[in-house]
Amino acid sequence: MSGVKELAYVVYEVGDLADWERFGVELLGMQLGERGEDGFTLRLDEKAHRWIVTRGPADDLVASGYEVESDDELDALVERLRAAGLQVEESDPALAADRRVERLFATTDPMGNRVELVTGLADAATPFASASLLGEFVTGAGGAGHQVLLAHGVSREEYLGFYRDLLGFRISDIIVEELAPGVVADLIFLHCNGRHHSVAFGDMPSPKRTHHFMVEVTDIRDVGLAYDRCMDAKQPFEMTLGMHPNDQMFSFYVFTPSGFSVEYGWGGLVIDDATWQVRTLDRLHSWGHRPPGAVADLLAAAPSPLHTEGGER
């Protein structure tokens, strides 16, 4: 079955463009792409952009761009969506040019998220260069990264009917963890290439459409350096350093200026569909990923080192 091959780009509508540019370029190490009157783009690699940031009140995800391998596969995918009763509209040439793609069709997922199906995301005119990274961002065949979206009460059967049965995603695994008595986290992770997941879904209490976007780096030192940059800038963290048991990503979570998060990670698992077995795991984190407030309390409560009268231990 033809389907999407990668998460190519995301579009965010934000209230504070200047703060977002500082966040993306200075703290995360992305490269500014193009700046316009109503927004700018951010680069992670040789592509023209991976994030499109536009001015507006939503402070949230407003579109996800999924690339399809060829025109023939895009046509087949559009036909399949329409046969399932979904409205799919071909964009005007101006929007396709703005997104820097050859063709663009738009539809809506069961949660109401705009999904753009595209071919031919263009390369930038200049090589990628980050002022901060020692290594590079991991993109290539795995696409821009992954995102976790909020289900907002839509059943798993319904959104899997869209993402798995129509767009062609495959299930990677499921995590079900009781966080507190009666409070259960239940997330499902889907892949469309070797990256462990390009999209995941959970029904967490949040008004946002997205919980986070993950960017991955090739050099573990860049995780630590970005962690320090965010800390020095007093950018609020959602979770401190830790590791996930399913994709084995070593990462931290920092809040964007719009209130959802970015996961900044290294070492993510690559899936081989020929041998992969879907599992259900019972924890979200192998270790770490603690709330910053809890870490601060533990550090403050730690006993002071003992000293002798001469000041030596």
Side-chain angles (χ1 to χ4, degrees):
M1 180 178 74
S2 59
V4 303
K5 70 169 187 174
E6 67 175 65
L7 174 58
Y9 60 83
V10 284
V11 185
Y12 297 122
E13 188 178 277
V14 309
D16 191 330
L17 289 176
D19 204 13
W20 258 88
E21 184 176 331
R22 176 195 66 90
F23 176 76
V25 176
E26 296 181 18
L27 301 188
L28 302 187
M30 298 178 178
Q31 180 183 355
L32 183 67
E34 299 176 351
R35 187 191 284 113
E37 202 171 293
D38 292 317
F40 58 89
T41 62
L42 292 168
R43 294 178 57 191
L44 280 72
D45 56 11
E46 77 282 356
K47 294 299 181 181
H49 50 238
R50 292 296 192 172
W51 286 14
I52 301 170
V53 181
T54 62
R55 188 194 311 274
D59 272 315
D60 206 347
L61 176 75
V62 294
S64 302
Y66 293 98
E67 188 161 8
V68 180
E69 187 67 50
S70 67
D71 287 339
D72 287 345
E73 292 201 10
L74 178 57
D75 290 338
L77 180 54
V78 168
E79 183 179 348
R80 185 162 66 247
L81 289 164
R82 287 173 173 165
L86 295 174
Q87 184 173 353
V88 187
E89 300 293 339
E90 185 168 13
S91 79
D92 60 80
L95 180 60
D98 186 59
R99 297 287 199 256
R100 301 294 301 277
V101 298
E102 293 175 0
R103 299 176 70 200
L104 188 158
F105 286 81
T107 189
T108 305
D109 77 4
M111 283 74 71
N113 299 308
R114 179 179 170 89
V115 172
E116 297 180 355
L117 305 170
V118 305
T119 57
L121 178 60
D123 289 344
T126 58
F128 174 76
S130 169
S132 305
L133 293 187
L134 299 176
E136 300 174 329
F137 289 109
V138 178
T139 56
H146 77 235
Q147 60 181 346
V148 174
L149 305 180
L150 285 305
H152 291 306
V154 175
S155 72
R156 181 159 293 172
E157 179 182 10
E158 188 173 355
Y159 62 69
L160 284 182
F162 179 82
Y163 282 93
R164 179 191 60 190
D165 301 340
L166 295 177
L167 297 192
F169 280 85
R170 284 88 69 192
I171 296 174
S172 303
D173 43 43
I174 298 166
I175 297 180
V176 181
E177 179 182 2
E178 186 173 17
L179 303 176
V183 180
V184 177
D186 186 350
L187 288 90
I188 188 166
F189 302 82
L190 308 177
H191 65 279
C192 58
N193 50 52
R195 190 184 290 279
H196 176 274
H197 58 285
S198 290
V199 66
F201 300 94
D203 213 345
M204 296 168 276
S206 169
K208 302 290 185 183
R209 293 182 178 275
T210 182
H211 176 266
H212 74 264
F213 189 99
M214 188 282 306
V215 292
E216 185 178 0
V217 289
T218 61
D219 193 320
I220 192 173
R221 294 175 296 175
D222 280 320
V223 176
L225 290 168
Y227 190 80
D228 278 356
R229 289 194 299 271
C230 291
M231 190 175 297
D232 291 342
K234 298 180 173 59
Q235 193 71 24
F237 285 77
E238 181 181 16
M239 287 182 269
T240 54
L241 291 165
M243 182 174 284
H244 293 296
N246 58 343
D247 67 354
Q248 299 173 22
M249 189 75 71
F250 168 67
S251 64
F252 67 89
Y253 288 71
V254 63
F255 283 111
T256 69
S258 292
F260 57 90
S261 293
V262 165
E263 180 185 7
Y264 203 98
W266 171 87
L269 187 70
V270 176
I271 282 180
D272 180 354
D273 274 316
T275 58
W276 185 254
Q277 297 291 319
V278 176
R279 300 179 298 160
T280 297
L281 296 90
D282 62 359
R283 65 188 60 190
L284 292 167
H285 315 290
S286 300
W287 61 269
H289 284 156
R290 299 188 182 199
V295 173
D297 290 344
L298 288 169
L299 292 174
S304 300
L306 296 176
H307 291 79
T308 65
E309 291 183 5
E312 295 178 352
R313 295 185 62 180

